[in-house]
Amino acid sequence: MKHLTLTLIAVFAALTMVAATPRQQVVGTFDRSGSNHYAYPYTDDAVLPTLTDAPAGYEAFYISHYGRHGSRWLTNGKTYNRPVNELLKAQQAGKLNLQGELLLGQLTHVRDAAQQRAGDLSDVGAEQLRQITARMYRNFPDVFQGDARIDARSTVVIRCILSMQNATMMLRTLNPGLRITTDASYHDMYYMGWGYGEDTLANHIRKSVDNITNQQYRDHVHPMRFVGQLVTDTAWAAANLNCQQLMRDVFDVGGSLQGHHQFDDMTMYQYFTGDEIFELWRLKNIYWYAHWANAPQNGNRMPYIERALLHDMIDKADAAIVSGERGAALRYGHETCLLPLACLMELDNVNYSCDNLDLLHEQWQDYNIFPKACNIQMVFYRPVGSTGGNRAEDILVKVLLNEHEATLPVKTVNGPYCRWIDLKQYYETKLAVPIDWAAE
């Protein structure tokens, strides 16, 4: 009965969320405000997106995948240290009140637990990868039949390597007969990670966008109500503390707690009003969009940093179609790759372009795109009974973004399914367009 009740609640929440505004979504579920720290929303107990059955006479045989690592510790230890040091400064000056002491204790506990763990995969992160992989196996059992070949690769970052390890261990448990290879090498970083050529030039473009997003924070973050609840003297705090940075750091640390089971009983949202939580999320949403998405502010160029990755997905899919082998290419990396890749592939509305950043949140929400462990799965289908040497026009494909069937930039032939030859031609035409990477 308890399980049924929870399921009905989850179904109702999913239905009502369709009509909810972004503000209602964020204030209704504070964890969404964590932006890129938002823990993957689907667990084994959650209501999952419904998948459309394969067209009659077709079976899945190959998956091309790119996934972000699971939940992790913050990558910069300064984010843990700075708010502790600021509140210690107030404490030593005799300006910290009881609420401030409570927050200082929480922040100190988290900082101590985070020592030497910057960027490490968390327990929740490992769990996410195992659960997503088990569902992939259950959703597409034909892909993983017998001795299917699984080629798993990761960036050279340890959290990604461990994410790959958790995923492949789950596959090995589900089918010991799978032929699984794993690799993590700088040899593959030109398409697996941030790249080395064009992406270096793109860094200059993103730095120019910093001026835009930094000004947004200066204009819209007003920290004195937040700081005033922690100290006995706001005039002293304004003169002696970096109040805006303190507010932002506490928000970041608090938003990251959802990625750790050891902090299940701790929250820091009580220090913020609903309006502050929404505004801080809205500014993060702008940051990610302007720096990494199809934004006019970066010249609409950021999606193209993942050209090599999309080329790799196309080439390996074609090789699998010719060989006739069942299997999957699994890639484990970062949101800074998956977001521009999803833009380049034009999945759902991820490629949205918006001049007015104040209205961005109404159409584009980061938590729907790149939570921790976010993933893209291109699932390929062929006529039942066929093997190698299939004609490209006989292959169908659908794409999942975070396990829901994404809309595609080409005409579909059956629900979410389109002909591979059409999608491939669309992407190859797009990839052939030269991009001017000169810094502005």
Side-chain angles (χ1 to χ4, degrees), residues 10 29 31-32 37-49 71 124 128 131-132 135 258 366-375 401-404:
T29 304
D31 280 347
R32 286 191 175 93
H37 302 312
Y38 181 38
Y40 196 71
Y42 301 127
T43 68
D44 285 345
D45 297 323
V47 176
L48 299 170
S71 286
V124 171
Q128 291 161 348
Q131 292 171 352
I132 291 167
R135 289 194 294 269
Q258 60 189 289
D366 54 12
Y367 50 79
N368 288 327
I369 306 167
F370 52 92
K372 292 295 198 295
C374 56
N375 56 92
L401 174 60
N402 299 328
E403 299 183 84
H404 80 263

Side-chain angles (χ1 to χ4, degrees), residues 299-314:
N300 303 97
R301 288 169 287 188
M302 288 307 106
Y304 291 91
I305 66 173
E306 297 308 331
R307 288 192 293 186
L309 176 53
L310 185 52
H311 272 303
D312 183 73
M313 297 176 81
I314 292 170

Side-chain angles (χ1 to χ4, degrees), residues 52-55 381 396-398 405 412-419:
T52 307
D53 291 338
Y381 293 77
L396 300 181
V397 62
K398 70 177 177 182
E405 293 170 341
T412 58
V413 296
N414 191 321
Y417 300 89
C418 69
R419 297 198 311 162

Side-chain angles (χ1 to χ4, degrees), residues 387-407:
T387 54
N390 291 282
R391 297 186 307 163
E393 53 265 36
D394 292 333
I395 303 299
L396 300 181
V397 62
K398 70 177 177 182
V399 181
L400 308 186
L401 174 60
N402 299 328
E403 299 183 84
H404 80 263
E405 293 170 341
T407 58

Side-chain angles (χ1 to χ4, degrees), residues 134-307:
R135 289 194 294 269
M136 185 190 300
Y137 185 94
R138 292 198 304 267
N139 287 336
F140 309 108
D142 291 337
V143 172
F144 300 99
Q145 283 184 14
D147 64 345
R149 183 182 296 280
I150 310 300
D151 175 30
R153 305 197 183 197
S154 163
T155 69
V156 295
V157 179
I158 189 64
R159 60 182 172 273
C160 300
I161 296 172
L162 290 175
S163 294
M164 174 177 67
Q165 180 190 40
N166 276 275
T168 53
M169 285 173 61
M170 176 56 71
L171 286 177
R172 182 73 72 192
T173 299
L174 294 169
N175 179 1
L178 290 171
R179 292 175 290 162
I180 301 176
T181 58
T182 59
D183 197 9
S185 171
Y186 281 100
H187 178 271
D188 294 324
M189 284 295 284
Y190 75 96
Y191 72 88
M192 280 293 302
W194 306 281
Y196 291 100
E198 290 173 351
D199 192 40
T200 301
L201 297 172
N203 283 336
H204 294 293
I205 298 170
R206 284 195 293 271
K207 286 180 180 177
S208 70
V209 176
D210 285 342
N211 294 328
I212 298 172
T213 54
N214 288 342
Q215 188 62 49
Q216 288 277 337
Y217 275 99
R218 286 192 291 269
D219 291 344
H220 297 286
V221 176
H222 308 293
M224 293 318 297
R225 188 222 60 85
F226 170 82
V227 174
Q229 71 185 312
L230 308 174
V231 300
T232 59
D233 186 341
T234 53
W236 177 91
N240 292 277
L241 302 179
N242 187 338
C243 295
Q244 186 183 103
Q245 190 65 60
L246 174 62
M247 185 180 187
R248 291 173 61 181
D249 283 340
V250 173
F251 187 68
D252 281 346
V253 173
S256 74
L257 298 181
Q258 60 189 289
H260 308 269
H261 283 311
Q262 70 192 87
F263 303 131
D264 281 346
D265 296 328
M266 182 186 294
T267 181
M268 295 182 186
Y269 294 123
Q270 72 270 23
Y271 300 106
F272 301 87
T273 67
D275 287 341
E276 288 168 345
I277 289 172
F278 175 73
E279 189 66 7
L280 287 165
W281 165 76
R282 190 183 70 83
L283 295 173
K284 278 196 166 190
N285 194 56
I286 288 172
Y287 170 88
W288 282 100
Y289 176 78
H291 283 80
W292 296 98
N294 184 35
Q297 294 76 16
N298 65 49
N300 303 97
R301 288 169 287 188
M302 288 307 106
Y304 291 91
I305 66 173
E306 297 308 331
R307 288 192 293 186

Side-chain angles (χ1 to χ4, degrees), residues 304-373:
Y304 291 91
I305 66 173
E306 297 308 331
R307 288 192 293 186
L309 176 53
L310 185 52
H311 272 303
D312 183 73
M313 297 176 81
I314 292 170
D315 292 344
K316 286 180 179 173
D318 281 344
I321 291 168
V322 171
S323 74
E325 286 194 311
R326 299 177 185 272
L330 307 179
R331 307 168 184 85
Y332 297 91
H334 309 266
E335 81 275 50
T336 49
C337 304
L338 186 138
L339 170 55
L341 175 64
C343 290
L344 188 61
M345 296 175 71
E346 300 182 39
L347 305 182
D348 294 334
N349 74 326
V350 182
N351 202 44
Y352 178 69
S353 186
C354 176
D355 285 307
N356 189 340
L357 294 176
D358 289 334
L359 300 179
L360 171 69
H361 65 279
E362 296 178 2
Q363 301 296 328
W364 196 93
Q365 301 89 34
D366 54 12
Y367 50 79
N368 288 327
I369 306 167
F370 52 92
K372 292 295 198 295

